[in-house]
Amino acid sequence: MHYLFSVFTVFLGCCSNVFFLELLTNVHPGSGNIITLAQFLFISIKGFIFEHRFGTKKSIIPLRKYMTLVIMFFVVSVVNNYALNFNISMPLHMIFRSGSLIANMVLGIIILNKRYNLREYISIVFITIGIIICTLASSTDIKKPNVHGHVSNDFVDFLWWVVGILMLTFALLLSAGMGIIQEGLYKTHGKHPSEALYYNHVLTLPAFVFLYNDISNHVTLFNASQPYYLVLFSLPVMWLYLIGNTLTQYVCISSVFVLTTECASLTVTLVLTLRKFASLIISIIYFKNPFTVWHWIGTIFVFAGTLMFTNIIKIINDRMISLLKISRVYFLILKNNSELTLKSSRGLASFKNLFGSNETKESSVLQNKNDNLISTDFEAIKKVETTRLVRVKAYKPPTNVEELIKNMCKESYGQNFNEQNYRELSLADPKIKFNLLTKCISTFNHNIPNASLNDIKNVNDLISFYSTELKDTNPLEDLYQQPDLPKNLHINLEYNRFEPEKDTFFDGRDAFPERNTVVTSLWYSKKYKSVYKKKPVFTK
């Protein structure tokens, strides 16, 4: 359930962040750099205090491994915010960035050699069509760029719009590549979202020196904005918007980093895509941005592709199956309680029978129903037992099983033995069953499990039991020996066990230094030794 909370905070933080961002860019479209600096500075200060502990805590992941991510993260953040200065409206900005799902899949196929099923490919086509429709519909409402020395002209405005689209495309591909690199980094060094969030921001701060002139100009513009009167003091409204944007950006980014530790990069991109369309609806309703019929058609395509990608029908089916299983367990609990009630009422039913009560018949019917349920549950338990990875003594039946059992039946049944229908002879007599089964166990050197004793009700069942071959290998080992395994299936029967004294991969560093690794299985204790770790005398 932790990932559901992360998804909620992603929607809350990121949607609020876009709201404040549009408040800022509606007044000053070129304020992307000062917005990015404020966000990075806040997260760096917070991380230095709580994550880095004022410089006393060392990083778990080497800093050099972060450098590629830092450069990519800085470029993506600056380009995405600065693209608003090139005729890009906020709705188009959000719709176009929703194509990150497509970029992530394309790079996953090219770089990681991933393969997806037909349903996922079709969903991506739907999302692509929807984004293209929305982009073309938004191109008819081009904003005037905020570029020094620019002369207003329809053709020139369109060229600036194309530059903005190219910037968003570049940031889109770079962001997808950053997600793949980050996923690989987590697989190698473990998942440390708080550390990654801190270092990706603090290591980027020196790069803002190259944007000093633009940032200083916008500081002057922000100071000159209309003051907003608070309880004890007043503050320029643009700085107030910037504070709101910064705080919500922290909630958004931290939630995304936590989400990357819970899900794969493609799933994270899917969540962010849905969040962007939620922000789009807010932008249309509150800021009254134009949204035509073509925009709605494109939105329907995107949402249809998103639902298709998540395979919502299969999720509903899985939930229904889980509910049925839970109801089955609940029914068995009620059935067991009814058995206890039935046992306590048998004495009362027998007493009432002396006076001709009709409740004895009802009690008998209930008992038969419970007996049937017990029999059904017993069969289910035996089926589960056959799928366990347990070891049994190997048994290979001889070729004359039926003849040997037939001779033993002649001795056990005596005059009651019928050679023509001897397979149908009942084993209801405990003495005959005990003598016959004892002879079979001694002859075939193969014991009968307790769970199977109740199943052997006649000679035919006994012949069937001793005609069945048993292997001393478990189902996993049987699968491993099959020659026609799929190429993408690899079975490792030799488990990789961590032993601090012999480990070379982690240099003997143990994640659980005080936890013993005890092998309790009698079979595997011959193969693997237990590891008992020394506990320190003094513990924190």
Side-chain angles (χ1 to χ4, degrees), residues 14 240 247 266 304-305 413 439 468 499 517:
C14 296
L240 191 64
L247 294 177
L266 198 62
Y413 284 93
K439 292 178 181 179
T468 304
E499 296 182 15
T517 306

Side-chain angles (χ1 to χ4, degrees), residues 292-529:
T292 64
V293 175
W294 288 107
H295 287 93
W296 283 113
I297 294 175
T299 303
I300 292 173
F301 267 93
V302 172
F303 276 105
T306 302
L307 293 176
M308 188 183 301
F309 183 86
T310 56
N311 200 9
I312 191 68
I313 297 177
K314 184 179 182 300
I315 294 175
I316 294 175
N317 285 336
D318 293 341
R319 291 292 176 87
M320 292 299 295
I321 292 173
S322 299
L323 290 176
L324 289 175
K325 289 181 179 179
I326 294 173
S327 62
R328 169 64 175 165
V329 173
Y330 181 69
F331 175 74
L332 290 177
I333 294 173
L334 292 179
K335 184 262 295 182
N336 291 333
N337 293 335
S338 67
E339 288 178 4
L340 295 175
T341 305
L342 178 62
K343 289 179 181 179
S344 62
S345 63
R346 282 177 182 171
L348 181 60
S350 300
F351 178 77
K352 289 183 177 180
N353 189 34
L354 295 176
F355 300 92
S357 174
N358 293 328
E359 294 184 10
T360 306
K361 183 177 180 180
E362 297 176 0
S363 177
S364 177
V365 172
L366 182 59
Q367 174 63 22
N368 291 334
K369 290 182 179 179
N370 285 325
D371 290 341
N372 292 334
L373 285 172
I374 292 172
S375 177
T376 303
D377 295 336
F378 183 71
E379 294 294 333
I381 290 172
K382 287 191 300 181
K383 289 181 180 178
V384 173
E385 288 289 330
T386 59
T387 61
R388 286 184 176 178
L389 295 179
V390 296
R391 290 191 174 272
V392 295
K393 185 179 179 181
Y395 168 72
K396 188 172 184 179
T399 57
N400 57 341
V401 171
E402 185 173 356
E403 182 180 352
L404 293 173
I405 294 179
K406 181 178 179 181
N407 294 332
M408 286 184 279
C409 287
K410 288 180 181 180
E411 299 176 4
S412 300
Y413 284 93
Q415 296 179 354
N416 297 327
F417 180 77
N418 186 351
E419 189 167 356
Q420 294 181 351
N421 298 323
Y422 78 95
R423 278 178 167 268
E424 303 301 326
L425 290 174
S426 176
L427 295 175
D429 189 342
K431 292 183 179 180
I432 296 178
K433 187 173 185 178
F434 176 78
N435 292 331
L436 183 58
L437 296 187
T438 303
K439 292 178 181 179
C440 289
I441 292 173
S442 176
T443 303
F444 298 108
N445 193 23
H446 180 45
N447 292 328
I448 302 175
N450 292 335
S452 302
L453 286 175
N454 190 53
D455 292 340
I456 303 176
K457 299 178 180 180
N458 52 41
V459 177
N460 185 59
D461 295 336
L462 186 61
I463 295 174
S464 176
F465 177 81
Y466 277 103
S467 299
T468 304
E469 181 182 0
L470 289 180
K471 298 180 180 180
D472 60 350
T473 57
N474 58 43
L476 184 64
E477 293 172 339
D478 294 339
L479 182 65
Y480 177 76
Q481 295 173 359
Q482 291 185 7
D484 54 346
L485 290 176
K487 294 182 179 180
N488 61 340
L489 176 61
H490 301 278
I491 301 175
N492 182 18
L493 298 179
E494 297 296 330
Y495 308 109
N496 295 323
R497 294 175 54 81
F498 177 78
E499 296 182 15
E501 298 176 355
K502 299 181 180 179
D503 175 68
T504 56
F505 187 82
F506 296 104
D507 295 331
R509 288 178 292 181
D510 194 351
F512 307 98
E514 298 183 12
R515 183 182 298 177
N516 297 329
T517 306
V518 182
V519 182
T520 58
S521 170
L522 295 177
W523 178 271
Y524 286 106
S525 62
K526 303 175 183 178
K527 186 174 182 180
Y528 304 110
K529 72 172 186 177

Side-chain angles (χ1 to χ4, degrees), residues 77-96:
S77 300
V78 172
V79 171
N80 276 328
N81 285 335
Y82 204 67
L84 295 170
N85 203 30
F86 289 85
N87 286 358
I88 302 297
S89 64
M90 185 60 68
L92 178 60
H93 188 271
M94 290 184 287
I95 293 172
F96 199 88

Side-chain angles (χ1 to χ4, degrees), residues 74 95 101 106 132 181 192 228 274 395 413 470 503 507 518:
F74 173 76
I95 293 172
L101 184 64
V106 171
I132 292 175
I181 294 175
H192 309 284
Y228 186 87
L274 292 175
Y395 168 72
Y413 284 93
L470 289 180
D503 175 68
D507 295 331
V518 182

